[in-house]
Amino acid sequence: MLISRRLVSLGGLAALCPCLSAEGATPTAANGCAFSQAADSHDSNSQYPGLRRWGAEPPELALAPIVIEMSQLFELTPVFGFYDDTGSCKGNALASSEELFPPAPNAPFKTEGTVLLGEKLFSNLNRAQYQTAAIAAVCAHEFGHLLQFKYLKSELSRIRDLDGSVVRVELFADFICGYDAGVRQFRQGDYAGAIGALNQYRSGDLVFGESHHGTPEERGHSVTAGFATGSKGPLPPERIARLAFEYISTLIPQAVHGDGC
Ligand SMILES: [Zn+2]
């Protein structure tokens, strides 16, 4: 399947975000280790090798309740797919404001953006002790980026440009990750929401510069703040997006520049 859509930047905020950065990896759009700065020059097929829709068989079938729940919570209906992320260190995931797949015939809703999970990342998450919570944490982070694209792209573009870094943009998405875990605990009581925080904490990188996503402590604190909000119950999507924005607006990242040494 040839996909020739071009990814574009929206209001200065790149319209896709590969999210789990990896120490020591070369930051290219292809391996997903960096926030894309030149996404508008790439064909989707060449940029994301192995691009495909998610399947309806196990283990991918386990995504269905997660996607349905988050689509309702965030009032967003992205298309989900997979790509080959074996070029990255830990695996990766990303959100795009574009639909990278043709619309499904007779779909009862309009799709809004795309979430791609790397094959390697998904395989790793499936081996996690609390695999559902781990997968949900990654998906919720990506929904966080979709909320940015929908409600706050100009505001977050300014923050990114001010910082010269995507750190606070990423910590916003971590806040949403924690919020989703909090809502799940609010609804289910025994949900292992802490796994979401742990998962993001482990994803914290020490690469300072354009691709830095926050230190482990910053990511953990952002998830915890979102969790505290979500554990009181769900909020309208735009409201939680603005609360996440308020949270990152007051943050002073430990480091947004540097050479990573
Ligand atoms: Zn991200």
Side-chain angles (χ1 to χ4, degrees), residues 17-20 93 141-142 145 169-170 173 213 219:
C17 176
C19 291
L20 303 183
H141 177 104
E142 302 308 329
H145 287 305
V169 173
E170 291 303 323
H213 282 46
R219 301 198 74 172

